[in-house]
Amino acid sequence: MAKIEAADAAALPGLAQEAAQAGLTLAWAEAAADRPSAEALSSFAAIWHPADEALASSWARAAEAMEAPLPDDVADAAKRHTRRQRKRDKARRAPAGSPLVDAWLGSPVLLRVRCEACGRDACHEVGTALFDPSEAVTDAATLHLGVYVPFILACPFCDAEDDYSLSISSAQEIATRAAAAARMRRDFPVRVGKAGLADGTAIRRPSEGLRILRARAEEQGGGERWRALGNFALRAGRADEALEAFERGAEDPAELACALAVAAEALGREDGEPGPLVARAVSRVPLAEEKWRPQLCAEVAEALRKLLPRTEKPLRLRMVGRRGAATVDVRAIKDWARLGELLAISVEASLTFDDVPAAELDRAAGVL
């Protein structure tokens, strides 16, 4: 830091890479904006990352002073930084509960991090974060210990995952937002909370949670453990890993949620034949846990509705309840919410693709 403060305009460009490796990119950028040179503008280009709005803002100041052109993407990033700063400053001056404060506390957070693997600085915009005051002390340099970001952050330069240190300014931003949300007793995206798995196991990074849950699923098996891994992977931004976990979980014949997740993914693709996967989910409806059955059955009904335009085959749904059985033509169903309710009280359900004679279709399933 002392080198940067003491350097003149001619010496500053030579300190750019050293500052980036030391996590002092912003300090260097501010100095270069105050003491601009043509060489400094070239150094900005060498260390800038497209998501780094703060660096773009300093670059814009230096370019303006040198009357030099600014790349369009840098100019756009600088404008976003200015707008973000103005909104934050207005929100901090506004009284609690005002729309400005709500907008600030509900907006994404721009995190500045330093990759521990390659030493480069980068920025990531995240929508949610937790702050645990018990893990942080009053010293600003240790606030980052209380921050949990639920998404796996990958370095844009070396692809290292979740191997970063959070800047003091970003940690302060999260701590400030979390404290404000706690005072207002509102459930904002950035809030006070402790990161952990469902069984209470504490974690500091989502990649750690994935490793723990994957080990449990592989060692102990069972649809429930694969489902836990899939749900966590989705929250961590790992859709491919989530699908793999759901597919493994769906191998358990008693697991509806995983089978439904696999069917929903197939329905979201333009290729493939999702019918058999939807039929598998339908057959597991009676096995759903009681507390989750209404929600899961509503999702099964939605999967059936989405299946209609994907196949020209006949779709016959048979439901067996405590008061009897009914076979209905899925294409004739109008009330999908009611279908979910009927599935929830079924003790047996199946979907077939056979052309059942009309006389055998139960029109009294009626309200559908």
Side-chain angles (χ1 to χ4, degrees), residues 89-234:
D89 291 343
K90 286 182 180 179
R92 286 176 171 172
R93 293 193 297 267
S98 73
L100 282 174
V101 173
D102 284 359
W104 172 54
L105 294 179
S107 64
V109 182
L110 191 66
L111 300 182
R112 173 174 288 277
V113 303
R114 183 189 180 199
C115 178
E116 297 294 344
C118 69
R120 301 286 296 274
D121 288 346
C123 291
H124 300 270
E125 189 174 77
V126 300
T128 62
L130 293 178
F131 181 71
D132 182 2
S134 68
E135 294 288 341
V137 295
T138 53
D139 179 23
T142 63
L143 280 176
H144 69 279
L145 296 176
V147 174
Y148 175 77
V149 179
F151 313 102
I152 293 178
L153 302 184
C155 174
F157 304 104
C158 72
D159 296 326
E161 295 182 344
D162 267 358
D163 188 14
Y164 62 88
S165 57
L166 192 63
S167 70
I168 292 177
S169 61
S170 294
Q172 289 175 327
E173 173 84 1
I174 289 176
T176 300
R177 287 199 189 195
R183 287 195 302 271
M184 297 171 64
R185 298 182 180 180
R186 298 273 299 281
D187 190 20
F188 285 103
V190 178
R191 55 187 175 82
V192 172
K194 184 180 290 290
L197 303 179
D199 64 355
T201 302
I203 56 174
R204 289 192 175 276
R205 297 278 164 85
S207 53
E208 180 185 0
L210 277 180
R211 285 194 297 271
I212 294 172
L213 292 173
R214 187 180 298 110
R216 291 177 181 175
E218 290 175 347
E219 292 171 5
Q220 303 171 32
E224 183 178 355
R225 292 181 182 84
W226 286 110
R227 186 202 323 148
L229 173 60
N231 288 335
F232 191 93
L234 273 183

Side-chain angles (χ1 to χ4, degrees), residues 296-316:
L296 290 173
C297 288
E299 293 178 13
V300 170
E302 178 64 9
L304 285 166
R305 186 186 68 81
K306 290 182 177 179
L307 179 61
L308 291 178
R310 294 293 302 274
T311 181
E312 296 180 357
K313 296 179 181 179
L315 297 174
R316 307 305 188 211

Side-chain angles (χ1 to χ4, degrees), residues 353-368:
F353 305 93
D354 302 324
D355 193 7
V356 178
E360 296 182 21
L361 295 179
D362 191 335
R363 299 182 183 278
V367 292
L368 294 176

